[in-house]
Amino acid sequence: MSNKVVNWNGGLQPEAVEILSADGGMIVCPTKVGYIIMTSDAKGLERKFDAKQRNRNKPGVVLCGSLEQLKELAQLNPEIEELYQQHWDKDVLLGCILPWKEEAVARIPEDGSKDLMMDRRQTSCFVIKFGVPGENLAKELWENHGKFSFASSANPSGKGNRGLVEGIGERIEQHADLIIAANDYVKSIQPNESEKTRYEQGVMVAMVDENGKLVPEQKGERNITPCPVLIRKGLDVDKIMSMLSDIFTTWDYRHGNYY
């Protein structure tokens, strides 16, 4: 690996803050499920699409370093807020497809970011508890630099990185400004799993209808639709389904039903 690689320092990585707080920075960062590309503006997002040679129809992934940040950015209702709170308290990785708040959209730089970080329904996947290295960065960038944190898996399209920094592929390695290595941290989250059995992704739950409008509150009533839909299984899916069931009487399981 090149001299761009630094070992994670166990806290906030200053080199990464420097790169992502400037224009167009792009780094590779470890998470609970493997390595991601992390960027903070349109120029960085363009570089990410180029590095991954990827089409642009996927909803953007927005990393939230605090529940306060989530509440500032995304439209929520009390039940969705409660779901996030439970996951936050139990340190469980969760991503939900949600609409943006209008006032948050107004904060997005007028640099083309909007088209690259939302899908056509104006929704993104807002993720919490994705792993300490990135959580520290997202919190710092938002609170002290007023910058977003966007994520995408750091692997050549269609191939996983297997939770190893060596698996991110040559192209991403060449394109990144910095690579934070922490194979031991990634391994520690699923210590008993092999490369074949480990989850390489987090669970994603759609909290919107097909037009991108928030699902209604259920308030304990049955058969309220549209309802939350678990569209991607992943790390801690059992815990997440249990918490979903505690809060929502009705929800769907449709793995792979992305758009």
Side-chain angles (χ1 to χ4, degrees):
M1 291 300 253
S2 63
N3 55 3
K4 295 175 183 176
V5 181
V6 297
N7 287 317
W8 180 43
N9 63 11
L12 179 66
Q13 202 78 35
E15 306 94 319
V17 175
E18 195 178 321
I19 289 164
L20 292 174
S21 60
D23 268 2
M26 180 175 108
I27 71 159
V28 171
C29 180
T31 71
K32 289 177 175 177
V33 284
Y35 287 84
I36 57 166
I37 295 173
M38 209 166 155
T39 58
S40 61
D41 56 22
K43 211 191 277 180
L45 286 164
E46 287 285 4
R47 290 180 62 197
K48 176 206 80 167
F49 283 112
D50 182 35
K52 287 185 70 161
Q53 299 174 299
R54 199 62 185 275
N55 58 8
R56 299 157 178 251
N57 64 341
K58 291 216 168 186
V61 174
V62 181
L63 302 174
C64 297
S66 67
L67 287 178
E68 289 67 42
Q69 180 184 3
L70 170 76
K71 289 170 193 172
E72 278 183 61
L73 298 182
Q75 292 178 37
L76 305 163
N77 66 32
E79 290 168 353
I80 297 169
E81 207 170 299
E82 169 63 15
L83 187 74
Y84 270 103
Q85 185 70 55
Q86 284 195 21
H87 284 72
W88 187 272
D89 294 342
K90 295 184 167 129
D91 190 23
V92 174
L93 168 66
L94 176 71
C96 294
I97 309 277
L98 295 164
W100 284 73
K101 279 189 167 165
E102 271 177 43
E103 57 271 36
V105 173
R107 296 181 64 165
I108 300 168
E110 293 283 328
D111 61 1
S113 291
K114 219 177 283 186
D115 300 335
L116 299 176
M117 58 194 253
M118 300 179 187
D119 62 8
R120 55 184 170 68
R121 304 174 304 180
Q122 304 269 287
T123 64
S124 295
C125 182
F126 293 86
V127 183
I128 60 161
K129 291 292 177 184
F130 41 93
V132 180
E135 286 171 48
N136 289 346
L137 281 173
K139 193 167 165 44
E140 169 71 17
L141 288 165
W142 180 249
E143 290 174 5
N144 296 321
H145 301 274
K147 293 202 81 164
F148 296 98
S149 295
F150 305 123
S152 186
S153 56
N155 43 40
S157 244
K159 293 184 188 153
N161 56 52
R162 304 182 304 285
L164 301 170
V165 73
E166 297 79 12
I168 65 174
E170 211 171 293
R171 190 175 171 88
I172 289 170
E173 189 189 328
Q174 284 167 356
H175 280 62
D177 300 320
L178 177 78
I179 297 165
I180 302 171
N183 288 351
D184 291 351
Y185 173 77
V186 180
K187 176 82 177 149
S188 74
I189 307 295
Q190 303 179 76
N192 304 319
E193 304 304 327
S194 70
E195 277 183 21
K196 286 198 170 66
T197 62
R198 62 184 297 279
Y199 277 117
E200 302 216 330
Q201 55 195 18
V203 169
M204 222 185 249
V205 182
M207 291 294 185
V208 293
D209 66 15
E210 58 200 31
N211 301 313
K213 199 167 167 291
L214 213 55
V215 296
E217 264 191 276
Q218 298 185 0
K219 300 182 176 162
E221 292 182 39
R222 294 183 206 173
N223 295 326
I224 303 283
T225 55
C227 62
V229 183
L230 198 153
I231 58 173
R232 190 173 80 180
K233 70 174 184 178
L235 182 69
D236 285 334
V237 66
D238 301 354
K239 290 180 188 170
I240 292 167
M241 290 197 294
S242 170
M243 286 187 259
L244 268 170
S245 303
D246 284 344
I247 297 170
F248 300 95
T249 313
T250 303
W251 56 271
D252 270 350
Y253 179 89
R254 299 187 183 190
H255 176 74
N257 187 31
Y258 286 2
Y259 316 108

